[in-house]
């Protein structure tokens, strides 16, 4: 039995909402994407970097084959970046996916898995036209030397 009465108070609060992906690059269903793209997903709040890995943030190509890539998380921008180890194939569809294994810094999992598709360009765009840069005219010499040969000038 208690020798004294014990009292305590506490307040409960609703848990924070689950994190979401607010933007992606490329955007979902984008076409004509540069094959050297780094795929990004920006989150609604701070995430646990250790949960954003090549298993939880993946890129797949034809036949659902995984694209070898490195994954990094920028805590300041709240952005995960998936960088393929080689350029993607031309004129090819890809799907990026993020799983609910990705959690916020407080341990709350993504609200739901996220996936978005894009396709690379069929061929690179043409280079921009070359615009000549005007240079000022060179000053003409004030005295002209006449040379009878390369070895003797007067």
């Amino acid at each position: 039995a208690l020798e004294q009465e014990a009292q305590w108070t506490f307040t409960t609060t609703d848990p924070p909402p689950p994190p979401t992906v607010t933007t992606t690059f490329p955007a979902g269903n984008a076409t004509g994407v540069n094959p050297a793209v780094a795929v990004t997903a920006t989150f609604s709040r701070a995430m646990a970097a250790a949960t954003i890995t090549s298993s939880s943030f993946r890129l797949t190509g034809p036949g659902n084959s995984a694209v070898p890539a490195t994954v990094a998380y920028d805590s300041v921008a709240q952005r995960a970046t998936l960088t393929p180890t080689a350029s993607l194939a031309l004129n090819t569809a890809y799907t990026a996916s993020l799983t609910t294994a990705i959690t916020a810094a407080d341990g709350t999992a993504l609200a739901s898995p996220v996936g978005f598709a894009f396709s690379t360009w069929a061929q690179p765009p043409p280079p921009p036209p070359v615009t000549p840069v005007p240079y000022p005219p060179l000053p003409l010499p004030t005295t002209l030397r006449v040379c009878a040969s390369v070895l003797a000038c007067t």
Side-chain angles (χ1 to χ4, degrees):
L2 289 175
E3 292 184 18
Q4 292 184 14
E5 181 179 308
Q7 286 187 332
W8 69 91
T9 61
F10 60 92
T11 304
T12 61
T13 60
D14 290 332
T20 59
V21 173
T22 57
T23 58
T24 64
F25 182 83
N29 300 316
T31 60
V33 174
N34 183 332
V37 68
V39 179
T40 65
T42 303
F43 299 95
S44 59
R45 58 189 180 113
M47 304 302 285
T51 66
I52 303 171
T53 67
S54 58
S55 296
S56 61
F57 186 11
R58 298 186 41 181
L59 183 65
T60 56
N64 204 30
S65 59
V67 173
T70 58
V71 174
Y73 177 67
D74 177 342
S75 60
V76 174
Q78 297 178 182
R79 181 181 307 120
T81 302
L82 181 148
T83 306
T85 56
S87 286
L88 303 177
L90 297 178
N91 200 29
T92 303
Y94 291 91
T95 301
S97 59
L98 296 98
T99 71
T100 55
I102 297 173
T103 65
D106 67 3
T108 307
L110 271 179
S112 61
V114 174
F116 56 99
F118 63 91
S119 61
T120 54
W121 61 40
Q123 62 183 2
V130 176
T131 305
V133 177
Y135 289 98
L138 295 174
L140 294 175
T142 55
T143 308
L144 195 56
R145 295 175 65 190
V146 177
C147 298
S149 76
V150 175
L151 300 174
C153 284
T154 57

